Amino acid sequence: MGTLKVVGKARKEFTCDIMYIKLSFKAWGNDTAQAIETSMSQCDLFLDLLEKQGIDINLIHMSNADVSQDMYDDKLEISAEREIELRMPFDMNVINRLSEIIKENQLKVDMDISFKLTNMLEVHEQLLKEAVLDSKKKAEMLASAMGQKVVGIETLNAGERYNNYDSEEKAYYDQFSHKLGETHSRSKSNRLQAPLITEYEHVDVEWIIE
């Protein structure tokens, strides 16, 4: 009786189904009050426009509020920022409509969008199972070549990646049941699908052979 240490791997490509949209309203100047007023008023205008579209702004999160000052060429410059975040199912119509609202109202805002999976925990649970099966298949092949067979597991290490996942994304998936009004644009980008993401897992397994 002996053991074989075999690494098992699994990877799969998935289509993201949720998007986190961060909108940052910034203002610069040499007057603190003016910079703060500009960033706040731009943010409030945007929220007002969303509310008129039927969006419940109570579901929108504040993600950052910052006021800072720096010296450039011996001149004081004040910057103020107010950042909000929307979390909702992927929808190209929403992305394009938000872009239109920003353009139509000449808002001074940075928009950053990240894409995720709502079932990340389940995805990695399945990938772990596939990684273990991959390790077992390799171990059985090696054991067979030595005239032996796999009879059990001595140790299994799934690493730390799996412990970092939870299902918190699900809590935001259905928050925004109302969609923004249809985009006025006939952009072909309205037909684009969500980004793809590749997830993977690996396990270190020590198999018992005899």
Side-chain angles (χ1 to χ4, degrees):
M1 183 176 290
T3 61
L4 277 176
K5 292 183 178 180
V6 183
V7 175
K9 298 180 180 180
R11 62 187 295 137
K12 192 174 181 180
E13 194 172 63
F14 300 89
T15 300
C16 295
D17 58 357
I18 194 168
M19 55 188 183
Y20 288 13
I21 305 173
K22 287 189 175 182
L23 298 122
S24 179
F25 301 86
K26 301 177 181 179
W28 295 267
N30 54 16
D31 182 88
T32 302
Q34 184 59 50
I36 293 174
E37 170 61 26
T38 300
S39 65
M40 286 184 64
S41 62
Q42 288 280 295
C43 182
D44 285 347
L45 173 58
F46 181 77
L47 292 173
D48 183 58
L49 292 167
L50 289 188
E51 200 163 37
K52 289 177 179 177
Q53 293 272 338
I55 293 293
D56 182 359
I57 63 173
N58 291 316
L59 297 176
I60 299 175
H61 296 264
M62 166 70 73
S63 56
N64 186 48
D66 180 69
V67 179
S68 60
Q69 53 184 354
D70 290 291
M71 294 295 295
Y72 293 101
D73 297 327
D74 296 325
K75 292 182 179 180
L76 181 65
E77 182 173 275
I78 309 296
S79 64
E81 177 183 10
R82 181 151 291 200
E83 184 179 79
I84 60 175
E85 182 179 73
L86 296 82
R87 300 180 179 185
M88 60 179 65
F90 173 82
D91 190 332
M92 271 305 303
N93 178 71
V94 170
I95 296 174
N96 285 340
R97 184 64 190 121
L98 288 175
S99 298
E100 285 179 347
I101 290 173
I102 292 170
K103 179 183 69 175
E104 291 166 359
N105 296 275
Q106 299 183 350
L107 297 173
K108 298 175 181 177
V109 57
D110 293 337
M111 183 167 68
D112 178 71
I113 307 175
S114 58
F115 305 91
K116 298 186 179 184
L117 291 171
T118 56
N119 61 335
M120 188 68 79
L121 181 61
E122 290 85 350
V123 162
H124 281 268
E125 286 176 344
Q126 183 59 41
L127 287 174
L128 275 175
K129 293 176 183 177
E130 293 178 10
V132 172
L133 292 175
D134 178 61
S135 174
K136 184 179 182 181
K137 182 179 179 180
K138 294 174 182 174
E140 288 175 337
M141 178 187 65
L142 293 172
S144 177
M146 296 184 290
Q148 296 185 300
K149 62 180 180 179
V150 173
V151 296
I153 292 177
E154 180 73 16
T155 61
L156 188 153
N157 182 5
E160 298 297 326
R161 295 184 70 252
Y162 175 71
N163 295 327
N164 294 329
Y165 295 103
D166 56 41
S167 299
E168 68 173 2
E169 286 88 359
K170 286 186 177 180
Y172 304 102
Y173 189 81
D174 293 320
Q175 277 192 343
F176 287 88
S177 57
H178 177 92
K179 299 295 182 68
L180 288 169
E182 287 296 320
T183 177
H184 302 155
S185 156
R186 296 184 179 274
S187 171
K188 288 189 178 294
S189 64
N190 291 332
R191 296 158 56 188
L192 294 178
Q193 299 299 307
L196 297 170
I197 184 173
T198 300
E199 294 296 319
Y200 65 92
E201 281 290 353
H202 78 274
V203 292
D204 299 310
V205 187
E206 187 175 2
W207 297 93
I208 301 171
I209 60 173
E210 62 176 18

